[in-house]
Amino acid sequence: MQFKNIIRILGLLVALLSVTMLPPAFISLLYRDGGGVSFLMSFIFCLIAGLLFWYPYRAEKSDLRAREGFLIVVLFWTVLASFSAVPLLLLDEPNLSVADAFFESFSGLTTTGATILTQIDGLPHAVLWYRQQLQWLGGMGIIVLAVAILPMLGIGGMQLYRAETPGPVKDSKMTPRIADTAKHLWLIYVTLTFACAMSYWAAGMNLFDAICHSFSTIAIGGFSTHDLSMGYFNSPLINFICVFFLLVAGVNFALHFAVVNSRSLRSYFYDSEFKAFLSIQLVLILLCFIVLTSFNVYQSGFDNFEQALFHAVSISTTAGFSGTSSGEVTFSNWPTLLPILLIFSSFIGGCAGSTGGGMKVIRVVLLYLQGVRELNKLVHPKAVFTIKLGKKALPNRVVEAIWGFFSAYAAVFVFCMLLLLAAGMDEYSAFTAVAACLNNLGPGLGQVAANFAEINDFSKWVLVVAMLFGRLEIFTLLVLFTPAFWKT
């Protein structure tokens, strides 16, 4: 294991992270909110720490193997999220404990969107900006991880695209070099963020709110600068803009690249996962609208449709924004099956290679196809059935990997839920809390419907680990606990 080289890389990453402390300090100076000192101190601390990691091993440069790749990916999220908690610990307002600061930091960088903060409207602008910025940086990290890094290690959801999609998406790297891949992804990501911010601004948000919410929308994070989230603006137009960009961000970014590169929309409609993703969204919206209309939850048919559309997309893509204004019924209080249905929809999440969480649509589609194949085998035991994605048959090893992933996902979910139950949380809240964090969703139900402030510190640490498992697609983190990984 090339530990010196790994430490050198982590040092560079922490030094780069220090630069992200400067924008909140500038925002604090601009609004004179008094929150800038902690960010300047954090900048100095992170820069020095990064250089101390990097300098002794600056000459250690060699090609990394798969094992080092796994370790770097895990350390990337854990170390950077830990250092991102430093300014939150130094702040006077809000005054956070260690557990709270780490929970908020990990939730931001993993784009989970679960929060322990209350009375967000009264926080300094620097803190509000920093939370949103964390999600935006985390969203970009997810894209590069999913499209460029994990496929090289042989475990990414993008591996499945080798079997079906032509052109640049077919290869594990869209362009020959990871640096080129990352550059193209950054360009698409920044362009979408700019378009989203301008749309929010044109729809009535002030510029600060528009930029902040564009960060968390494109990252499918769910943090907001207001306690009421999107409901604060009480604007159907803003809700519709949010839905549009959530759907765009929930699509595989490599597919966006293919469309831009070919200058044709055909790639979208040839993609099996894209069609399944839209179908799932339409079914959820329709179910929510029918139930809300049947129970007259909101004042008019348009209000029922708006809320059904907004929350179905927001929860199922794992953003977790709320679109209800003060005094309106929140999704956690919706009638019959809807709250738990939407929580279950977050297990599906977005497409592979998107900023969404969950198991990813492509995996769920393949699980369904495998189930159909097993039923057909019962009827025709001697027949040979193949699973096809598009027009091409998938090898059995891909299907086996999907079942392995699903089993590991379920095992991690059950283990985390049992720990929360042991810590004293009720079954309903524990189930939805783990779902919210493992699927990188954010809001849960019951005790954690509004925020996670009331749960104990042990539960917060458990959920921080769940966020990491969800963001790293289970196996990346789980492989570090196997003895074989550490054997030379």
Side-chain angles (χ1 to χ4, degrees):
M1 191 72 73
Q2 302 176 37
F3 289 111
K4 293 181 179 179
N5 198 13
I6 292 171
I7 293 171
R8 177 187 69 85
I9 293 171
L10 287 175
L12 284 173
L13 291 172
V14 172
L16 285 172
L17 178 72
S18 69
V19 180
T20 67
M21 310 292 179
L22 295 178
F26 174 75
I27 293 294
S28 176
L29 181 64
L30 190 65
Y31 286 93
R32 301 187 181 279
D33 59 18
V37 175
S38 63
F39 290 101
L40 287 175
M41 292 174 64
S42 301
F43 163 71
I44 296 169
F45 173 78
C46 292
L47 181 61
I48 293 173
L51 292 176
L52 288 176
F53 281 135
W54 168 79
Y55 187 78
Y57 308 115
R58 62 193 181 282
E60 295 286 337
K61 296 179 181 178
S62 56
D63 293 334
L64 296 173
R65 297 165 298 182
R67 283 204 306 168
E68 284 86 4
F70 283 112
L71 190 55
I72 285 176
V73 167
V74 173
L75 290 175
F76 172 88
W77 292 97
T78 53
V79 171
L80 293 192
S82 298
F83 275 94
S84 296
V86 172
L88 298 176
L89 286 168
L90 297 177
L91 285 167
D92 293 326
E93 179 64 29
N95 186 11
L96 301 180
S97 66
V98 173
D100 285 349
F102 272 74
F103 185 93
E104 197 74 12
S105 173
F106 274 79
S107 179
L109 203 63
T110 59
T111 73
T112 300
T115 185
I116 45 78
L117 296 177
T118 57
Q119 299 180 336
I120 294 172
D121 295 81
L123 293 177
H125 282 77
V127 178
L128 298 175
W129 176 279
Y130 183 66
R131 293 171 74 242
Q132 307 298 110
Q133 178 185 274
L134 270 181
Q135 292 208 316
W136 190 74
L137 293 171
M140 188 63 253
I142 293 159
I143 295 301
V144 174
L145 179 75
V147 179
I149 308 299
L150 292 187
M152 292 180 61
L153 303 179
I155 58 168
M158 287 294 297
Q159 293 291 96
L160 303 171
Y161 280 89
R162 290 177 170 176
E164 179 193 11
T165 311
V169 185
K170 185 176 181 180
D171 190 43
S172 62
K173 295 178 290 182
M174 296 183 301
T175 53
R177 296 165 57 87
I178 291 181
D180 291 336
T181 302
K183 182 176 70 175
H184 285 92
L185 292 171
W186 265 110
L187 184 59
I188 295 171
Y189 192 74
V190 170
T191 302
L192 287 175
T193 304
F194 177 78
C196 184
M198 292 301 100
S199 299
Y200 281 145
W201 190 28
M205 285 189 185
N206 63 50
L207 189 58
F208 179 83
D209 279 341
I211 295 173
C212 286
H213 284 91
S214 71
F215 285 171
S216 54
T217 301
I218 300 302
I220 310 189
F223 275 166
S224 176
T225 55
H226 302 283
D227 289 299
L228 290 175
S229 190
M230 290 295 184
Y232 170 86
F233 304 100
N234 194 23
S235 168
L237 178 58
I238 286 176
N239 285 352
F240 291 145
I241 290 170
C242 181
V243 165
F244 173 77
F245 281 101
L246 285 178
L247 290 173
V248 171
V251 174
N252 175 9
F253 271 63
L255 192 57
H256 290 320
F257 176 83
V259 169
V260 172
N261 198 45
S262 64
R263 295 177 181 157
S264 171
L265 297 176
R266 290 181 181 179
S267 296
Y268 287 132
F269 303 106
Y270 289 151
D271 187 79
S272 301
E273 186 182 28
F274 177 79
K275 290 185 285 187
F277 174 65
L278 288 188
S279 299
I280 290 167
Q281 299 301 319
L282 289 172
V283 170
L284 283 171
I285 293 165
L286 184 61
L287 281 173
C288 290
F289 176 64
I290 290 171
V291 174
L292 293 179
T293 303
S294 300
F295 283 82
N296 295 314
V297 176
Y298 298 101
Q299 293 180 352
S300 67
F302 176 80
D303 289 340
N304 285 320
F305 172 74
E306 179 201 344
Q307 294 300 320
L309 172 68
F310 183 87
H311 286 96
V313 173
S314 175
I315 303 300
S316 64
T317 57
T318 73
F321 287 119
S322 173
T324 49
S325 302
S326 179
E328 288 187 330
V329 180
T330 61
F331 104 91
S332 60
N333 295 319
W334 279 2
T336 66
L337 80 165
L338 291 187
I340 202 70
L341 171 68
L342 291 181
I343 292 293
F344 274 121
S345 74
S346 72
F347 282 91
I348 301 174
C351 299
S354 75
T355 54
M359 291 189 291
K360 305 296 186 293
V361 174
I362 192 69
R363 290 193 176 102
V364 175
V365 168
L366 290 177
L367 283 172
Y368 167 76
L369 293 176
Q370 167 67 355
V372 171
R373 181 170 74 167
E374 292 303 316
L375 290 174
N376 289 332
K377 280 185 175 181
L378 290 175
V379 179
H380 305 286
K382 295 183 179 181
V384 177
F385 296 98
T386 58
I387 292 180
K388 291 184 178 181
L389 199 59
K391 295 181 180 179
K392 192 166 184 178
L394 290 178
N396 284 328
R397 62 180 179 79
V398 172
V399 181
E400 290 169 3
I402 296 296
W403 277 110
F405 176 86
F406 179 74
S407 302
Y409 208 89
V412 170
F413 184 94
V414 170
F415 182 69
C416 290
M417 182 177 169
L418 289 174
L419 289 177
L420 294 189
L421 292 174
M425 195 178 291
D426 66 273
E427 294 89 342
Y428 188 56
S429 299
F431 177 87
T432 59
V434 177
C437 292
L438 188 61
N439 296 330
N440 304 122
L441 165 61
L445 300 173
Q447 191 179 349
V448 292
N451 56 62
F452 290 69
E454 299 303 318
I455 65 176
N456 57 50
D457 285 355
F458 175 77
S459 298
K460 289 171 185 171
W461 287 114
V462 171
L463 293 175
V464 163
V465 175
M467 293 177 201
L468 275 176
F469 267 112
R471 193 71 282 165
L472 293 172
E473 301 198 9
I474 305 295
F475 284 144
T476 318
L477 183 55
L478 209 57
V479 71
L480 267 60
F481 295 95
T482 60
F485 179 82
W486 300 102
K487 289 181 181 178
T488 55

